[in-house]
Amino acid sequence: MKLIVMHQNNSSLNSKARRFRNVFANVVISLMLVGVFALTYAGGVLNVFSSSGDSFAIYHGNTENKNVSLMINVYWGTEYLEPMLDVLKEKNAKCTFFVGGMWASNNEELMKKILDGGHELGNHGYYHKDHDKISKEKNEQEIYQTHEIVKALTGVEMNLFAPPSGAYNQTTLDVAKTYGYQTIMWTKDTIDWRDKVAKTIYDRAVANPQNGDLILMHPTEKTLEVFGDIIDFYQENGFNVVTVSENIA
């Protein structure tokens, strides 16, 4: 009986410790975001990173290398991510996951699993805004907040930014570059969030394969159905399935 009581007490203490840790992390993130807003609305430019030269978007990788990249934009579909990671591990392939700040703030452990698998995290903004329709200050907030949340939870300094909906303008490009980011678009879009047909997703992903292809997709049920087949197609045709950073190097 004493052993049972001790086990229950330990469980209670562990539960309290986890709750305290989660509350503490949320408080730290909230204080950090308040500081970001204060600096922005005070008229300061958050020049945390430096850059020089023209700003531009990247639509494909280095065409001299036989590499392709699968780019997974993540705001939802969390339940499909671990099965995707299992497929990537089985196929010895690497991937870049562009995460939204709102999603990232609630998925610390899953982001760490992504990184443990040798994959890459990229920035997909905080609230999934159309960046060509928001102010410079809002562009800064969307990018910087997501950067700081992922850094706080994983220790990773992201440097790739995928604009939600592919919406950007010169202001977006300049802001992203100011914060040390390259703006990433895509070569092929599976449109899997809209067209929930596995064969259609597969056909779009593998059409006219070229060195340096950047292939956009999302964690959906139908994407997962053909995820392994897409990787097989490229590997069987001599392509390496690599992270975006490796592809554009």
Side-chain angles (χ1 to χ4, degrees), residues 28-38 126 145-146 148-149:
V28 170
I29 291 171
S30 297
L31 290 174
M32 176 187 68
L33 296 183
V34 168
V36 171
F37 282 118
Y126 195 87
Q145 289 171 29
T146 304
E148 288 299 296
I149 285 170

Side-chain angles (χ1 to χ4, degrees), residues 129-135 139 161 163-173:
K129 298 287 187 181
D130 287 346
H131 280 246
D132 60 340
K133 295 182 176 66
I134 59 177
S135 67
N139 269 276
F161 171 61
S165 304
Y168 71 90
N169 55 22
Q170 192 60 47
T171 297
T172 307
L173 297 174

Side-chain angles (χ1 to χ4, degrees), residues 136-193:
K136 178 182 178 183
E137 290 74 18
K138 290 294 185 182
N139 269 276
E140 290 171 349
Q141 292 167 17
E142 287 286 315
I143 294 171
Y144 185 70
Q145 289 171 29
T146 304
H147 181 94
E148 288 299 296
I149 285 170
V150 173
K151 179 181 175 182
L153 295 177
T154 69
V156 169
E157 296 263 11
M158 300 181 296
N159 59 13
L160 302 177
F161 171 61
S165 304
Y168 71 90
N169 55 22
Q170 192 60 47
T171 297
T172 307
L173 297 174
D174 292 342
V175 168
K177 190 169 179 62
T178 296
Y179 294 133
Y181 277 89
Q182 293 177 287
T183 299
I184 307 298
M185 294 296 287
W186 58 80
T187 316
K188 295 182 172 70
D189 187 357
T190 61
I191 323 178
D192 52 358
W193 58 270

Side-chain angles (χ1 to χ4, degrees), residues 22 26 29 75 78 99-111 126 149-150 153:
N22 291 336
N26 287 333
I29 291 171
Y75 267 93
T78 307
V99 297
M102 289 183 65
W103 181 88
S105 65
N106 295 310
N107 287 280
E108 175 183 355
E109 294 306 316
L110 192 44
M111 286 193 295
Y126 195 87
I149 285 170
V150 173
L153 295 177

